[in-house]
Amino acid sequence: MSLFKARDWWSATLGENEEFDQGCLCVADVDNSGSGQDKIIVGSHSGFLRIFSPHSLKAAEGIQAEDLLLEVHLRDPVLQVEVGKFVSGTELLHLAVLHPRKLCVYSVSGTLGNVEHGNQYQIKLMYEHNLQRTACNMTHGPFGGVKGRDLICIQSMDGVLMFFEQESYAFGRFLPGFLLPGPLSYNPRADSFVTVSSCRQVESYKYQVLAFATDADTRKETEQQKIGAAKKLVADWMLSIGEQALDICIVSFNQTASSIFVLGERNFFCLKENGQIRFMKKLDYSPSCFLPYCSVTEGTINTLVGNHNNMLLVYQDVTLKWAAQLPHIPVAVKVANFQDLKGVIVTLSDSGQLQGSYLGTDPSLFQAPKVESRDINYDELDVEMKELQRIIKEASKTQDILPKMEKEDDLTLVAAVSSDLDSVSQAVDSEVESEVIPSVTVKLSVKSRLAVQKSMVSIYVPQPLALTQDLFIFDSIEPGITKTVSFSVYQKGKCPPADLEGSAVVSFSTPTELNPEGVPRVVQCKFRLPLRLICSPIQASKAASHKLTIDTNKPPVNLIYLFPDFLDRVEDDQINVLGFQLLAGKKVTLLASKTSQRYRIQSEQFEDLWLITRELVLRFEEYFQKQGVKDFTCSFSGPLPLQEYFELIDQHFELRLNIEKYENLLSERAVQFRAIQRLLLTRFKDKTPTPLQNLDTLLDGTYRQIIGISDAMDEAQQNLSRAFIRLKSATHLMIILIGLWHKLSKDQMGILQATFLPLLQDGQELGWEESVDAAVSHLLRTCLSKSSKEQALNLTSQLSIPKDTARLKKHVTLLCDRLAKGGRLSLSADSGSQQAIVMPGFPMNATVPVSNA
């Protein structure tokens, strides 16, 4: 039990799914019982009005039926409730209820009951005012110094103060410079109204000034107002507090001047009547409500402040005296006197948790039991500790966030790519300039072992490939039932894709015992698109600018067996030449040697070699795997085509620099355009007409320049996107050539892939060049370092676009050089340490430590 906790004296939960704010709570003797016992009046935005007369709760008992005196539904939302002398001819208290478009004043009365259910309470409408403007809040008091009655002032959403002298409407006034409504309170000692404007200023307006100012109904300027027949509304004083206010309270607990309390978003202020700051307190939390009340110390005032951390804080001026924990976040707080207890703190949350509590401490009745003294057997403790460590170690190995799955997974996702292209192409809005743009159908099958609700399937293919539909939603999947969907894939952009692998992801929820709503889960599957989707067979061409040679350790294979989808099967015909025409690229030729175990891929464009090279390696592996050959390997003897690769890097980087120039130029023209607009606006507002001095012509010319630069920038963005796809294709080609050259393992190929392709998309803030340079530099300083001095160097934490690509090309060349000299890629902690390798001239069991380089 916490010591600093508000003690629950009485509590209630109001309605279901109702909302409340700071104006919905009021405490007063609304039924004029004369006993001095307050009642709690609560209104909600759902239109319910409730009146409570609390009694202390007994142990293990909830709210008693007789505590709720009255509950009525008023149809309209209740914005604020207040109690005062609102009816003429009597000084009895009445209840004022503010609705968005109506003000109602009720009398609350009770009749004695003859049975044990107690008294019966009812409300009677005394009068109502239909409002012409939407109301925000209200305040009341003896405006103008009247005796024995209270007048009401309502602030509308558009900044009009509407004054009501009980049953009749008096007048309305517009607040000057109004933008948004703020809290409003009446100071009876100064006969003034205090509010906080949208300029974050506390403003005070005298009632007398409001009464003689221009009427809100005649806000438009007339001839009489021009000659000064009506007075302009001027604030009595203003004070800038630099933040928006949540509430205003005006208190006077002695015969001296009153104090104005303003609760801001980060401070609360105490002001004098003339607007001078008496004191202020900076808050290190977000407040929700506050209430000043009388202090036992002369000359000080206590303040209750609630915050969004479920805390209720008590300040004496600026000194924190007490802090108590509440079970909810209070949006309104009041202090009430009941028959059983005086000074009960009444708090209300925005969801309707109403509580009456007091500040106190309860002693802790818990006493720790005596510990039995016994001799410790350290041998048994060691055995028990080892057993516990073993259990923890086993649990940590098999620990998983998700519950353990059975042999069959809860949901399976299978993708099947059609073996043939679509007879009727499904391509739409393709940019490829070709008579026929092929498409292929992919079929997804979803099968669930359990009942699944609201599952969603998303499909992704790399650019410039496109989908006919990329999202499917299933409302429900029954157990054991297979749901199937189909979509088509085609090429949309003007360059060959860098990859032919797509992926599908289905997201669903699996209910558990702890979470009936379900644990979110995803299942992913990948599918490989056919090569025929992006190229077609043509007559082979022997002339080419770029050539690669792949070596194998097995006899040459007839290309009919490797590419049956591109060649018609002919008996006893050895085909060693095959041509490919990319839809948005150049011709690629594949040559197989008749005598040696070599295969040559050649093309007029370097990056176009990638897809055919990758497809050749994959089909080699599939072919020899079907033949039962396990020792098949491919190799590349070099040299690496770094110069061609660096040319693509330079082209991509130059486009990035061009876009940066366009951005700077567009920013300059935008500044110029706004400056011309300001000059023209000044000329147009001037009462004395002056010549424009060709500013309109300059504005039109600047606008045309902005449009032209924007169009050029859009075109440059499209060129950059295509250049990035070509760069990715060339990077994939370099990675596979490095892997074949140095016979890298699968893990090392993964490191190389993550190093050279760290980004899915390229951008100006984080581009490919700086990302790859940082990754390559990290490898050179760790697993490929030549000395401990290189390992000690640190990389800069901030990546920015470089001035040129010289540094990146130097690092890539250095990485290839160190791999050629025996370096190995690794991410382990001791990757930079020296390795032991067998040296020529030494026995097989002797090793000499050498560095990675």
Side-chain angles (χ1 to χ4, degrees), residues 170-407:
F171 57 89
R173 299 290 181 264
F174 274 99
L175 291 175
F178 179 86
L179 181 62
L180 294 172
L184 179 69
S185 186
Y186 173 69
N187 183 7
R189 294 183 62 89
D191 194 24
S192 62
F193 294 86
V194 182
T195 184
V196 177
S197 67
S198 54
C199 299
R200 299 181 176 181
Q201 291 180 343
V202 183
E203 300 176 356
S204 175
Y205 298 93
K206 291 284 190 181
Y207 178 73
Q208 185 176 7
V209 175
L210 290 167
F212 287 96
T214 306
D215 196 344
D217 298 329
T218 59
R219 189 182 186 186
K220 294 184 179 180
E221 197 176 46
T222 63
E223 291 297 328
Q224 288 183 341
Q225 294 170 5
K226 289 182 179 179
I227 62 176
K231 294 183 178 180
K232 186 179 179 181
L233 183 57
V234 179
D236 185 28
W237 53 262
M238 294 183 181
L239 175 67
S240 177
I241 60 175
E243 59 181 319
Q244 192 59 42
L246 302 178
D247 199 3
I248 296 177
C249 286
I250 300 175
V251 294
S252 178
F253 299 116
N254 50 35
Q255 299 302 319
T256 59
S258 57
S259 298
I260 302 172
F261 283 83
V262 181
L263 179 65
E265 295 174 333
R266 282 291 177 265
N267 305 274
F268 82 84
F269 306 84
C270 178
L271 312 179
K272 299 179 182 178
E273 285 187 356
N274 58 0
Q276 296 180 356
I277 295 180
R278 181 182 169 197
F279 63 80
M280 66 171 287
K281 173 66 177 177
K282 185 173 182 61
L283 307 176
D284 55 355
Y285 50 81
S286 179
S288 59
C289 61
F290 86 135
L291 177 70
Y293 67 98
C294 183
S295 175
V296 295
T297 304
E298 185 68 25
T300 62
I301 298 177
N302 284 6
T303 308
L304 288 172
V305 181
N307 63 20
H308 286 82
N309 297 329
N310 295 30
M311 296 293 295
L312 186 65
L313 309 173
V314 182
Y315 290 92
Q316 187 177 72
D317 287 349
V318 296
T319 305
L320 180 63
K321 291 295 185 180
W322 194 264
Q325 188 79 24
L326 289 175
H328 56 256
I329 299 174
V331 296
V333 58
K334 301 290 182 182
V335 176
N337 295 324
F338 300 117
Q339 188 174 4
D340 300 329
L341 187 63
K342 307 296 182 182
V344 175
I345 301 172
V346 182
T347 55
L348 175 68
S349 73
D350 60 351
S351 59
Q353 298 179 22
L354 182 65
Q355 175 173 309
S357 55
Y358 61 91
L359 302 180
T361 58
D362 291 340
S364 176
L365 303 178
F366 173 77
Q367 293 183 355
K370 295 182 180 180
V371 181
E372 296 181 3
S373 59
R374 58 187 178 90
D375 295 335
I376 300 175
N377 190 331
Y378 292 100
D379 295 335
E380 293 181 359
L381 286 179
D382 290 340
V383 173
E384 184 179 359
M385 180 63 71
K386 290 180 180 178
E387 179 66 19
L388 291 176
Q389 289 178 347
R390 185 189 64 79
I391 295 174
I392 293 172
K393 188 175 181 180
E394 291 295 328
S396 62
K397 286 182 179 179
T398 59
Q399 185 179 8
D400 197 354
I401 298 175
L402 298 176
K404 299 302 176 188
M405 296 298 162
E406 298 183 4
K407 293 182 179 180

Side-chain angles (χ1 to χ4, degrees), residues 72-119:
V72 292
H73 189 212
L74 302 178
R75 293 186 299 176
D76 297 322
V78 177
L79 301 181
Q80 192 171 343
V81 289
E82 295 291 346
V83 175
K85 303 172 183 178
F86 300 134
V87 178
S88 60
T90 178
E91 294 189 8
L92 295 178
L93 297 177
H94 289 76
L95 176 63
V97 180
L98 180 64
H99 301 289
R101 284 283 184 169
K102 186 167 57 175
L103 171 66
C104 301
V105 175
Y106 301 92
S107 66
V108 181
S109 59
T111 58
L112 296 176
N114 296 325
V115 294
E116 62 181 0
H117 297 303
N119 302 337

Side-chain angles (χ1 to χ4, degrees), residues 472-606:
F472 298 91
I473 298 177
F474 300 114
D475 292 332
S476 62
I477 301 178
E478 299 299 328
I481 303 298
T482 302
K483 297 276 188 176
T484 59
V485 293
S486 299
F487 57 92
S488 295
V489 186
Y490 61 93
Q491 183 171 338
K492 186 176 183 180
K494 292 184 178 180
C495 62
D499 198 357
L500 288 177
E501 188 177 76
S503 62
V505 178
V506 56
S507 58
F508 62 100
S509 297
T510 304
T512 61
E513 295 180 359
L514 299 179
N515 190 356
E517 295 182 0
V519 178
R521 294 185 56 203
V522 294
V523 173
Q524 181 182 14
C525 75
K526 294 185 178 181
F527 53 90
R528 179 179 160 194
L529 299 171
L531 186 63
R532 284 292 302 270
L533 184 65
I534 52 98
C535 67
S536 58
I538 62 166
Q539 187 69 29
S541 174
K542 295 184 178 180
S545 302
H546 306 280
K547 300 178 182 179
L548 294 176
T549 302
I550 303 296
D551 296 333
T552 64
N553 62 346
K554 296 299 177 183
V557 182
N558 192 350
L559 294 183
I560 291 180
Y561 302 116
L562 293 179
F563 295 92
D565 48 343
F566 284 84
L567 295 169
D568 295 330
R569 192 177 183 94
V570 180
E571 295 294 336
D572 300 329
D573 190 4
Q574 178 72 23
I575 296 180
N576 62 340
V577 179
L578 183 59
F580 304 89
Q581 174 63 59
L582 298 176
L583 277 182
K586 301 294 184 180
K587 296 180 181 179
V588 182
T589 303
L590 174 61
L591 302 171
S593 176
K594 296 181 180 180
T595 57
S596 64
Q597 304 165 1
R598 291 188 172 187
Y599 301 84
R600 174 175 291 177
I601 307 103
Q602 59 188 27
S603 175
E604 292 293 332
Q605 196 158 295
F606 173 69

Side-chain angles (χ1 to χ4, degrees), residues 436-489:
V436 179
I437 302 173
S439 64
V440 65
T441 300
V442 181
K443 183 178 179 182
L444 291 179
S445 301
V446 183
K447 184 178 180 180
S448 176
R449 187 173 57 87
L450 305 173
V452 176
Q453 303 291 331
K454 287 290 183 183
S455 57
M456 183 170 61
V457 181
S458 303
I459 303 100
Y460 166 79
V461 291
Q463 291 183 346
L465 299 179
L467 300 163
T468 55
Q469 186 174 352
D470 61 353
L471 183 65
F472 298 91
I473 298 177
F474 300 114
D475 292 332
S476 62
I477 301 178
E478 299 299 328
I481 303 298
T482 302
K483 297 276 188 176
T484 59
V485 293
S486 299
F487 57 92
S488 295
V489 186

